[in-house]
């Protein structure tokens, strides 16, 4: 029999100890010391991280989640994301080591969800393909590439002069009731069949307004590729605050994964996503409310100092990924509501400086009947033109100039009566071009038809028509070309430019249509 020595005992003990597999889970437990206004103050969570998901154990064991926001010396301030009423003082709170995640996946298309990814359209549960964190570090420059494909809005004034590229951030800004949402909705409708997943995030709107948007999208068959994330005005401030981040997180799932659900790569392309945040002014207000109840010091216009950081974090996540990362894209169309056209207020200036351009909508244009009420003089898109097709660049270059000249002259012309012929001609052209840009809702125009419309104006075909008949002329001309010369429209889209032959054929086609066009209607 083997001798039992100290070393054999030691070896046996060692083996047994090795066999025990333990992982240490460090979870801190604290207690709620104060709760109200959707905010909780917690004692005893020394190790909580900023933005960490906290688990509140309410009465009857009900769990409510919260977000750690203020890390102070002797307490933690948190916002509650669920049923606020079930949490009382002295309830337990635990750290989770995680940040909030939202589910995403193909099952979400066509659905309306809250900012936690839970369905609110009464169409039953949704199976998630994956989860994404609501806060995510935006990719750096190396992981990106330049914008090179267009997001066609179908709106002539925008696609021609303020073009948007996939991966761009373009602000839609204007007073209330100037058609901001209309542009967003038209863009979604126009994205049908264009391999673009749309996410409409409604923040702080009336539930009825959101319902109307969803109903419209359904009517035009656009919900098939759209997800609506909604935090209405009656939802708590923390939910409204988190809604845009939840929307972008849901979108990122599609961009960072291929159709097979595996991470996107060179051989497994990521998808293209369009995120609309309607609107970020209301998110800023919700964030202000949250921060003030958390007793953060207010800064400019009582917004917390880091509201700029909040919006830049969000919009920086709009990206066109490099080929190595699957070439997916996420385009952001944030909406900002101004007060009495004041773009110099704090939040508008912030978001203008973060985005790659803005579509500025103006009340007086809207009321004069210029719809969409885009002020082309001060609207810009700093990167989108590299995604425009050449045909559009050919015609739209002079359009911008014509309109700029028109605006300048218009101011003068009010005073003088006898204008020389050149001035008169420019005024004439400008008025007709401005009229040409009018477009109703839900009638998106394909890019080749936009090109032809502007072409007809540039070539002077509109100059002798009465202004009132311009939009009708445009509609009837396009209808005529669609049925009699479809090959012409096709050539523009296939060659992506207006070749000399196309130009000649177009001129002939427009001239022959114009002969039969009756001005009286
Ligand atoms: N191109 C258009 N042609 C005709 N009517 C339009 C056009 N665009 C918008 N409208 C109408 O203008 C009204 C306001 O539009 P919309 O709701 O999009 O504006 P908004 O700026 O989003 O308003 P709010 O500030 O209330 O969100 C709506 O009744 C809409 O139908
Ligand atoms: Mg709106």
């Amino acid at each position: 029999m083997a001798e039992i020595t100290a070393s054999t005992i030691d070896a046996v003990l060692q083996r047994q100890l090795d066999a025990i597999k333990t992982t240490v889970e460090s979870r801190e437990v604290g207690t709620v010391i104060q709760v109200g206004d959707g905010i909780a103050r917690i004692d005893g969570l020394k190790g909580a991280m900023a933005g960490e998901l906290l688990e509140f154990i309410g009465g009857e064991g009900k769990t409510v989640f919260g977000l750690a926001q203020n890390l102070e010396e002797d307490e933690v301030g948190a916002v509650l994301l669920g049923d606020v009423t079930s949490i009382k003082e002295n309830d337990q709170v635990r750290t989770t080591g995680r940040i909030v995640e939202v589910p995403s996946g193909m099952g979400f298309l066509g659905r309306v969800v809250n900012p936690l990814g839970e369905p609110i359209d009464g169409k039953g549960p949704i199976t998630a393909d994956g989860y994404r964190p609501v806060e995510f570090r935006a990719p750096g420059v190396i992981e990106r590439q330049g914008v090179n494909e267009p997001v066609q809005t179908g709106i002539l004034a925008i696609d021609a002069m303020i073009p948007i590229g996939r991966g761009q951030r373009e602000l839609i800004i204007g007073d209330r009731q100037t058609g901001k949402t209309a542009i967003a909705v038209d863009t979604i409708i126009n994205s049908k069949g264009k391999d673009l997943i749309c996410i409409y995030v409604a923040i702080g709107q009336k539930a009825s307004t959101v319902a109307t948007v969803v109903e419209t999208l359904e009517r035009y068959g656009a919900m098939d590729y759209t997800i609506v994330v909604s935090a209405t005005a009656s939802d708590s401030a923390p939910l409204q605050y988190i809604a845009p981040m939840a929307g972008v997180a849901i979108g990122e799932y599609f961009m960072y994964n291929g159709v097979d659900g595996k991470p996107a790569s060179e051989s497994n392309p990521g998808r293209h996503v369009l995120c609309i945040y309607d609107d970020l002014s209301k998110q800023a207000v919700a964030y202000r409310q949250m921060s003030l109840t958390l007793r953060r010091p207010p800064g400019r216009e009582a917004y917390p100092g880091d509201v700029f950081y909040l919006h830049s974090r969000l919009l920086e996540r709009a990206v066109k990924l490099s080929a190595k990362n699957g070439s997916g894209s996420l385009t952001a169309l944030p909406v900002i509501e101004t007060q009495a056209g004041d773009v110099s207020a704090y939040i508008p200036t912030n978001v203008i400086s973060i985005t790659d351009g803005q579509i500025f909508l103006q009340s007086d244009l809207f009321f004069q009947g210029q719809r969409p009420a885009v002020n082309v003089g001060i609207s810009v898109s700093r990167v989108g033109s590299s995604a425009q097709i050449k045909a559009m660049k050919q015609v739209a270059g002079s359009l911008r100039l014509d309109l700029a000249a028109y605006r300048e002259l218009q101011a003068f012309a009010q005073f003088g009566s006898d204008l020389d012929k050149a001035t008169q001609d420019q005024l004439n052209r400008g008025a007709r071009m401005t009229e040409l840009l009018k477009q109703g809702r839900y009638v998106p125009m394909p890019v080749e038809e936009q090109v032809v419309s502007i072409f007809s104006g540039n070539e002077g075909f509109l100059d002798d028509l009465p202004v009132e008949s311009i939009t009708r002329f445009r509609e009837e001309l396009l209808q005529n070309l669609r049925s009699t010369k479809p090959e012409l429209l096709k050539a523009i889209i296939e060659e992506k430019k207006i070749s000399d032959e196309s130009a000649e054929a177009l001129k002939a086609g427009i001239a022959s249509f114009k002969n039969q066009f009756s001005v009286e209607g």
Side-chain angles (χ1 to χ4, degrees):
M1 209 177 110
E3 208 177 316
I4 300 172
T5 63
S7 66
T8 50
I9 295 173
D10 183 57
V12 170
L13 282 177
Q14 197 68 47
R15 261 205 314 278
Q16 296 207 334
L17 278 176
D18 284 348
I20 303 171
K21 284 205 186 74
T22 52
T23 51
V24 182
E25 193 184 1
S26 122
R27 273 190 159 215
E28 265 189 302
V29 181
T31 40
V32 175
I33 48 177
Q34 191 197 351
V35 64
D37 298 326
I39 303 289
R41 296 178 173 282
I42 306 150
D43 183 38
L45 286 188
K46 279 264 178 286
M49 298 176 289
E52 184 175 354
L53 185 67
L54 301 178
E55 203 178 339
F56 290 77
I57 317 295
E60 296 141 33
K62 197 169 171 193
T63 356
V64 174
F65 287 103
L67 282 179
Q69 289 284 319
N70 278 18
L71 307 179
E72 286 160 25
E73 253 171 59
D74 39 30
E75 61 177 36
V76 170
V79 294
L80 299 166
L81 291 174
D83 178 12
V84 183
T85 51
S86 59
I87 304 299
K88 307 248 165 347
E89 268 124 57
N90 288 327
D91 281 346
Q92 274 198 355
V93 191
R94 275 187 255 165
T95 56
T96 60
R98 294 187 291 136
I99 63 165
V100 184
E101 289 187 332
V102 284
S104 182
M106 292 309 277
F108 282 80
L109 297 179
R111 303 296 301 267
V112 184
V113 297
N114 69 13
L116 302 174
E118 296 159 349
I120 49 173
D121 53 5
K123 291 186 187 162
I126 309 175
T127 327
D129 297 340
Y131 288 81
R132 295 284 314 178
V134 291
E135 291 275 10
F136 186 70
R137 194 183 59 85
V141 152
I142 306 290
E143 294 147 82
R144 303 181 180 224
Q145 62 173 309
V147 164
N148 56 36
E149 305 126 308
V151 171
Q152 297 287 354
T153 62
I155 299 167
L156 183 55
I158 296 176
D159 288 345
M161 289 180 291
I162 322 156
I164 304 168
R166 291 189 175 185
Q168 187 179 341
R169 304 155 296 179
E170 182 76 16
L171 170 64
I172 301 174
I173 186 167
D175 280 3
R176 49 180 302 277
Q177 290 290 305
T178 48
K180 303 183 296 296
T181 305
I183 289 183
V185 169
D186 274 357
T187 307
I188 298 181
I189 291 173
N190 189 50
S191 297
K192 189 177 210 156
K194 294 201 172 68
D195 184 26
L196 193 65
I197 290 169
C198 302
I199 297 176
Y200 178 79
V201 185
I203 311 148
Q205 301 188 32
K206 281 187 297 191
S208 61
T209 317
V210 183
T212 317
V213 170
V214 174
E215 194 218 315
T216 311
L217 292 176
E218 262 164 7
R219 186 148 32 94
Y220 289 90
M223 275 309 274
D224 300 346
Y225 51 90
T226 303
I227 302 166
V228 176
V229 180
S230 167
T232 61
S234 53
D235 283 319
S236 66
L239 275 183
Q240 295 182 42
Y241 149 75
I242 208 172
M245 278 102 87
V248 70
I250 291 174
E252 278 172 337
Y253 173 81
F254 298 101
M255 176 174 67
Y256 287 117
N257 292 297
V259 271
D260 54 2
K262 302 223 172 68
S265 65
E266 204 137 22
S267 55
N268 186 25
R271 280 153 294 169
H272 300 280
V273 182
L274 172 72
C275 279
I276 292 153
Y277 312 113
D278 195 1
D279 61 59
L280 291 189
S281 327
K282 302 212 176 67
Q283 189 210 16
V285 170
Y287 190 52
R288 164 161 71 185
Q289 185 194 327
M290 229 172 79
S291 302
L292 292 177
T293 39
L294 279 165
R295 303 217 195 105
R296 286 187 182 171
R300 260 187 73 180
E301 292 169 36
Y303 288 102
D306 64 341
V307 69
F308 183 95
Y309 182 44
L310 172 73
H311 285 157
S312 62
R313 263 189 345 252
L314 172 74
L315 294 169
E316 208 49 37
R317 288 161 81 173
V319 49
K320 167 72 188 168
L321 287 176
S322 66
K324 199 164 147 253
N325 291 321
S327 307
S329 71
L330 194 144
T331 312
L333 293 183
V335 177
I336 286 282
E337 181 184 306
T338 50
Q339 310 292 331
D342 182 13
V343 284
S344 61
Y346 186 39
I347 300 298
T349 45
N350 276 354
V351 184
I352 286 174
S353 66
I354 296 167
T355 47
D356 307 306
Q358 68 274 347
I359 297 170
F360 189 82
L361 301 172
Q362 225 169 311
S363 298
D364 50 351
L365 290 178
F366 189 88
F367 294 128
Q368 283 162 22
Q370 182 69 34
R371 298 177 191 180
V374 182
N375 179 330
V376 281
I378 54 175
S379 299
V380 294
S381 168
R382 294 185 196 101
V383 294
S385 65
S386 47
Q388 251 180 339
I389 65 167
K390 180 148 180 278
M392 186 56 103
K393 284 188 195 152
Q394 282 174 298
V395 293
S398 53
L399 176 61
R400 242 185 192 290
L401 292 180
D402 281 345
L403 290 179
Y406 172 59
R407 271 193 310 275
E408 224 161 75
L409 286 177
Q410 213 184 11
F412 277 116
Q414 289 173 354
F415 305 110
S417 52
D418 42 307
L419 298 163
D420 61 273
K421 171 126 188 353
T423 314
Q424 197 65 58
D425 286 350
Q426 264 185 332
L427 281 172
N428 225 348
R429 174 68 63 87
R432 277 155 188 81
M433 283 307 203
T434 309
E435 185 71 17
L436 188 71
L437 297 179
K438 288 189 183 170
Q439 192 176 344
R441 300 193 65 181
Y442 321 128
V443 280
M445 214 188 272
V447 63
E448 64 276 17
E449 297 190 3
Q450 296 182 354
V451 169
V452 172
S453 309
I454 304 172
F455 182 86
S456 68
N458 287 348
E459 295 298 325
F461 287 103
L462 307 179
D463 292 348
D464 52 356
L465 292 175
V467 171
E468 315 77 65
S469 65
I470 299 280
T471 44
R472 191 169 54 83
F473 178 83
R474 182 189 70 197
E475 295 317 316
E476 290 178 17
L477 167 70
L478 293 174
Q479 208 171 355
N480 177 281
L481 289 180
R482 253 179 256 139
S483 57
T484 62
K485 297 209 166 42
E487 70 286 351
L488 256 180
L489 295 171
K490 223 169 119 204
I492 294 176
I493 199 77
E494 276 169 4
E495 297 168 10
K496 291 202 164 61
K497 59 170 187 174
I498 309 176
S499 59
D500 293 344
E501 301 88 78
S502 300
E504 286 314 311
L506 262 180
K507 279 185 210 161
I510 298 171
S512 86
F513 166 74
K514 200 175 158 186
N515 280 335
Q516 60 172 70
F517 178 74
S518 96
V519 169
E520 275 76 43

